[in-house]
Amino acid sequence: DAKTTQPTSMDCAEGRAANLPCNHSTISGNEYVYWYRQIHSQGPQYIIHGLKNNETNEMASLIITEDRKSSTLILPHATLRDTAVYYCIVRVLWAPYNQGGKLIFGQGTELSVKP
Amino acid sequence: DSGVTQTPKHLITATGQRVTLRCSPRSGDLSVYWYQQSLDQGLQFLIQYYNGEERAKGNILERFSAQQFPDLHSELNLSSLELGDSALYFCASSVAGTGTYNEQFFGPGTRLTVL
């Protein structure tokens, strides 16, 4: 699975859009970009994933550059409850049998939403 | 609430002891994953079971073992405990072992403290 690079921390004002970048310059053609978040010591929570097209769901939008070497997770109107560590993970959708569906977490970005 | 349950929430024990952590996946999910989160190592994948069979192994110590039962619940057994085993242990579940519908839902975790 390709490695990802994320800023260690970011701040965002409540009500504003939070844009969290992720670099994955060694991504392969069959690898997807996934985002999870972890609110203090709770279990990680799936947010969104995509291959090359931009994706949007009720939680967030995912923008992937045309060369797929980087992506941005957008929380359109951040609230205090969005304060969390956000993990960008790159992995294949169909893994070999003995590799299963494991997630490899990096250090993530600690997002602080401030009033 | 992700639908994944873990017991106990907290566990305090002494070095050299053995403990069992339990996980019940979401209804209908066939895969169970175990992750360990410590302060110095971050979130690390330990092992995955799919429909009762071991599917993938990560950085799981030989002192640790897991199994998935016919009713699909899983147990993680940790023996000869050391101070460094103190961590949050998360269980996650997904419908499939890999591929589509592999979004993972995490439980609230078990906090293990080894004294």
Side-chain angles (χ1 to χ4, degrees), chain B residues 26 28 33 52-53 81 87 104 114:
Chain B
R26 290 189 322 152
Y33 309 77
E53 293 187 3
L81 284 168
Q104 293 182 28
V114 182

Side-chain angles (χ1 to χ4, degrees), chain B residues 26-104:
Chain B
R26 290 189 322 152
S27 177
D29 284 359
L30 298 178
S31 262
V32 169
Y33 309 77
W34 287 97
Y35 293 85
Q36 178 194 56
Q37 186 172 33
S38 59
L39 281 173
D40 55 344
Q41 295 289 327
L43 261 166
Q44 294 218 318
F45 167 73
L46 294 178
I47 196 164
Q48 175 194 0
Y49 278 81
Y50 176 72
N51 204 21
E53 293 187 3
E54 182 183 304
R55 174 61 68 90
K57 237 176 180 176
N59 299 322
I60 187 166
L61 300 171
E62 284 191 14
R63 301 183 285 109
F64 296 1
S65 65
Q67 53 185 327
Q68 185 178 28
F69 295 86
D71 67 351
L72 300 177
H73 91 271
S74 178
E75 293 180 357
L76 179 67
N77 300 296
L78 315 176
S79 61
S80 303
L81 284 168
E82 302 175 359
L83 296 177
D85 298 327
S86 295
L88 266 170
Y89 290 84
F90 290 106
C91 166
S93 74
S94 66
V95 170
T98 186
T100 312
Y101 310 119
N102 198 41
E103 170 191 338
Q104 293 182 28

